[in-house]
């Protein structure tokens, strides 16, 4: 199936689910990825779940991302806010178009960071999130309490991109606004390991249906 473009301008793929008990997954790729990258991961993590997978609209040397950065790990925070708003608009539109419940985000790296921004700023956009190698997207995150959703943060002990204290700051920021966060720090780097997949799939059996 070829990708389509939403009215909100997101190139994306949508794979309908065949297990209505499973919540839809919003798959958010890392820097240089696209809307096809994480579809195999999504069907592996939650077989039968609908999959919605947009391509980030920002290009960095030709590589799609979900927001601009000034350097590695240094974000253009005005753009983070703008792009999180655009992505929330895409989710709302896609929910109507495809008749979907609020999705659980599964984001890797830059995709995890934009999912974190959604969780901090757009209450109700997501029904949960798995953040793989995430860092905090905002230096002064909002503190307004929300209803809160379950969030799994999987960090890498030897991650050269995400310092441990940065991931810890993110967990704290998510908890401050009311999310129910579980964090595991794995003996891994920035790349995903088999343990990530096992833990994410287990978490989805608890919260994904
Ligand atoms: C980001 O820019 O979001 C993070 O540094 C991770 C990355 O995409 O390399």
């Amino acid at each position: 199936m070829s990708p389509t473009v939403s009215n909100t301008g997101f190139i994306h793929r949508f794979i309908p689910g065949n297990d209505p008990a499973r919540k839809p997954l919003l798959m958010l790729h890392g820097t240089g990825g696209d809307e096809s990258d994480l579809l195999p991961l999504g069907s592996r993590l939650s077989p039968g779940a609908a999959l919605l997978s947009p391509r980030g609209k920002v290009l960095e040397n030709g590589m799609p991302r979900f927001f601009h950065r000034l350097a590695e790990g240094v974000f253009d925070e005005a753009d983070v806010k703008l792009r999180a708003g655009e992505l929330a608009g895409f989710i709302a539109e896609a929910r109507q178009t495809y008749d979907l419940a609020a999705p659980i985000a599964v984001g890797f790296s830059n995709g995890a960071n934009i999912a974190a921004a959604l969780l901090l700023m757009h209450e109700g956009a997501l029904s949960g999130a798995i953040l793989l190698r995430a860092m905090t997207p905002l230096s002064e995150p909002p503190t307004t309490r929300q209803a809160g959703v379950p969030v799994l943060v999987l960090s890498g002990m030897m991650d050269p991109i995400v310092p441990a204290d940065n991931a810890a700051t993110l967990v704290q920021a998510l908890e401050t606004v009311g999310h129910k966060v579980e964090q595991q720090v794995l003996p891994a780097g920035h790349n995903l390991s088999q343990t990530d997949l096992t833990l994410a799939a287990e978490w989805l059996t608890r919260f994904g249906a």
Side-chain angles (χ1 to χ4, degrees), residues 31-62:
T31 301
D34 68 18
E35 67 283 0
S36 300
D37 267 22
L38 297 186
L39 293 176
L41 175 68
S43 33
R44 192 163 156 194
L45 292 181
S46 191
L51 304 177
L52 178 64
S53 186
R55 185 192 301 181
K57 282 185 182 183
V58 167
L59 285 180
E60 182 184 276
N61 302 321

Side-chain angles (χ1 to χ4, degrees), residues 72-93:
E72 191 167 283
V74 185
F75 301 148
D76 175 344
E77 296 199 13
D79 196 59
V80 171
K81 292 175 188 166
L82 176 81
R83 303 293 175 179
E86 286 182 354
L87 190 58
F90 166 74
I91 295 168
E93 182 196 357

Side-chain angles (χ1 to χ4, degrees), residues 12-141:
H12 66 283
R13 283 179 189 265
F14 174 68
I15 310 288
N18 56 24
D19 181 350
R22 289 186 184 254
K23 289 188 181 138
L25 301 184
L26 176 74
M27 307 305 296
L28 299 170
H29 63 79
T31 301
D34 68 18
E35 67 283 0
S36 300
D37 267 22
L38 297 186
L39 293 176
L41 175 68
S43 33
R44 192 163 156 194
L45 292 181
S46 191
L51 304 177
L52 178 64
S53 186
R55 185 192 301 181
K57 282 185 182 183
V58 167
L59 285 180
E60 182 184 276
N61 302 321
M63 295 185 297
R65 285 176 52 84
F66 287 96
F67 56 83
H68 287 287
R69 64 179 164 183
L70 308 174
E72 191 167 283
V74 185
F75 301 148
D76 175 344
E77 296 199 13
D79 196 59
V80 171
K81 292 175 188 166
L82 176 81
R83 303 293 175 179
E86 286 182 354
L87 190 58
F90 166 74
I91 295 168
E93 182 196 357
R95 285 187 60 189
Q96 282 213 325
T97 307
Y98 301 118
D99 190 20
L100 297 175
I104 293 179
V106 178
F108 169 63
S109 192
N110 181 243
N113 299 343
I114 195 71
L118 279 174
L119 289 167
L120 291 167
M121 291 189 295
H122 293 278
E123 181 169 14
L126 301 174
S127 60
I130 298 176
L131 306 181
L132 304 162
R133 308 299 184 268
M135 54 196 295
T136 182
L138 296 169
S139 50
E140 289 179 28

